[in-house]
Amino acid sequence: MTAACAVATLTMGLAASTALAQTPSWCGPNEASLALLDGFGGNSWRLVTTASGAEEAAKCPSITQYEYADGQGDTQKAISDINSMAARGIKAMVVFGDAGPAVLPALTNAHRAGTIVVPYRVNVGGTEGENYAKFIGSSFFEDGVSWGNWIKEILPEGGNLLFLSGPAGNSQGTDELAGMKSVLDDKYVFINPEPFAVTNWDPSLTQQVLSAEIAKNDKIDVIVSDFGPSLVGALPVFAEFGRSIPALATSDGNSLSCFWEENKEANPDFKLFTVATGNDNVRLAVQWAVALATGGTPPTDEIFKAPVYENSVSGTPNPVTCRPDLPGSIYLSAEMADDAQAKAVGQ
């Protein structure tokens, strides 16, 4: 993909007939341009999240120009995209800073040049007001609390836990672990290397890591993972060891829910608890950026709170929900309509 293609203009289709009553309070009267920038935009989660960001921006008729750039996992390209958007005079930018503090100097330069910069979800360092206008985080600590409380319900006497997260040192995993440890006492033993087993959220590496942990540990009562769909290809490894899939506390995805439906009878220990995977984090970041750019009223929330989504034990707030008629690579917890998600992931 060329840089020109990656920075493709998305048609907003802003209808002049948008009724005033439908305009959200965070959309002010001043016209502005908005850009959404990814450090890496190539998996299904990002495709749905990117489409969600565009959908949210389209609610505001004051946004007259919308741009998108994908850093394609290349930190230098991500930095170049930020610099390019600022040089073009884009009024506001929402940034998923996959490279963390490596993109902070570019964000700071854009902020000081007058662009409204709103990084979200990934900690890029820096300080609000000095390096960017607003940082919109996610409640990863609370996700850990939710997982920990469910684990206490299904294993009141304690047990062995295996925690899988993304790249080494990622702040999401360390925050989730802190949340779990805030509610779990010493009866619950984490058998993985501290602070978590590294998977890079990559299905192939996840399978390698899980195989190694099964071989090392005769007893795994619960697997905790912060990207549930990445486990679908790895969980059949338990059958190769003649063992039931254990309970799983994770984030939702249609492929995972359908896997649970297909395998629950053969795996009596396979309970499933999910929190929303968080595609809608981008919507809160867009609302903040648009409010600051157009003179609207900023949202009251500054952190995205992922709600509990599925619980196979209680069925509350939702039972495990599989939609076999839809692609596995969509997320039923997301606000975006299911068919729109299917279109976003190209199916």
Side-chain angles (χ1 to χ4, degrees), residues 286-322:
V286 166
Q287 291 170 12
W288 266 97
V290 171
L292 296 175
T294 64
T297 302
T300 55
D301 287 337
E302 299 181 357
I303 296 176
F304 173 75
K305 302 177 182 65
V308 172
Y309 185 59
E310 297 164 303
N311 187 335
S312 71
V313 178
S314 68
T316 302
N318 301 294
V320 177
T321 304
C322 164

